[in-house]
Amino acid sequence: MKFLKTTFLFLLLANMAFAQTYTTTDDGSKVRFVIKNFGIKTSGYFTGLKGIIEFNPKLLATSKMDVSVEAKTINTDNGARDKHLRKDEYFSVEKFPLISFVSTKITESSVAGRFFVMGNLTIKGITKSIQFGFGATPNDNGFKFNGEFEINRKDFGVGGSSISMSDKLKVVLDITAKK
């Protein structure tokens, strides 16, 4: 009996010592972007979100993110523009079907419930290191993660040398992940 109690306690403590694993859901999640084109803010979003987030706010050293969206799902509410954005000059969705992010480190922020993530963003086969702040709010059987960051589209070979489109692109994340 003493052995069973000790084993149970050990398993309970071991489970608490690691991040919990959550699966991202496309339902309830949004991966949005905003860019200026001809001086006017143009926005859109991606769907097809897939991935795993291992997260425990008290044990960030074991926390990590590995998520992606399907590039072909780009939607700016303009079918002709979306078709153009799927071509080689922009997202080249046939050659590079996924846009992905894999974390390398997650740390705590000085603001309660906020964190920093460092990792690698891959677009069109080009990987760049990025970092950004995010929030993590517990919800039914998981977490809601939110954050935003800016990238230079040219760093990823998106949009060629277009002079009408801004180089800076803002990405806004609202991600639902469940056990």
Side-chain angles (χ1 to χ4, degrees):
M1 184 66 155
K2 186 175 182 180
F3 174 75
L4 287 176
K5 286 182 185 179
T6 304
T7 302
F8 177 75
L9 182 59
F10 174 75
L11 290 173
L12 181 65
L13 290 173
N15 188 40
M16 291 173 49
F18 297 99
Q20 297 293 312
T21 300
Y22 302 94
T23 302
T24 59
T25 64
D26 209 31
D27 184 36
S29 295
K30 294 194 185 322
V31 178
R32 296 174 291 165
F33 63 88
V34 178
I35 190 168
K36 284 188 179 179
N37 192 18
F38 290 106
I40 299 169
K41 285 185 179 180
T42 302
S43 63
Y45 60 91
F46 292 93
T47 57
L49 178 70
K50 293 179 184 161
I52 299 294
I53 298 175
E54 294 179 19
F55 186 75
N56 183 332
K58 295 186 185 338
L59 295 162
L60 295 174
T62 61
S63 297
K64 58 186 170 184
M65 301 176 177
D66 186 346
V67 295
S68 65
V69 293
E70 296 177 15
K72 71 180 180 184
T73 67
I74 191 166
N75 188 330
T76 63
D77 291 327
N78 181 321
R81 179 175 41 218
D82 296 343
K83 185 176 178 181
H84 187 69
L85 291 172
R86 291 182 185 107
K87 292 183 177 183
D88 288 345
E89 183 182 3
Y90 289 87
F91 288 99
S92 191
V93 301
E94 294 299 320
K95 291 180 194 169
F96 305 102
L98 295 178
I99 296 170
S100 62
F101 176 78
V102 178
S103 68
T104 55
K105 184 176 184 180
I106 299 175
T107 61
E108 196 168 7
S109 165
S110 60
V111 178
R114 299 290 300 171
F115 306 89
F116 289 106
V117 61
M118 287 125 275
N120 296 311
L121 176 65
T122 303
I123 302 173
K124 287 182 71 174
I126 300 168
T127 302
K128 298 284 182 181
S129 179
I130 65 168
Q131 63 181 12
F132 59 94
F134 72 94
T137 306
N139 63 18
D140 298 338
N141 203 25
F143 275 92
K144 185 75 167 178
F145 298 96
N146 61 59
E148 60 183 56
F149 58 90
E150 282 190 359
I151 59 171
N152 184 327
R153 66 175 178 83
K154 288 183 175 181
D155 289 347
F156 297 93
V158 175
S161 59
S162 173
I163 58 171
S164 63
M165 187 170 38
S166 173
D167 293 345
K168 290 186 180 177
L169 174 109
K170 180 178 178 180
V171 178
V172 180
L173 305 168
D174 289 304
I175 307 297
T176 298
K178 298 184 178 187
K179 281 189 178 180

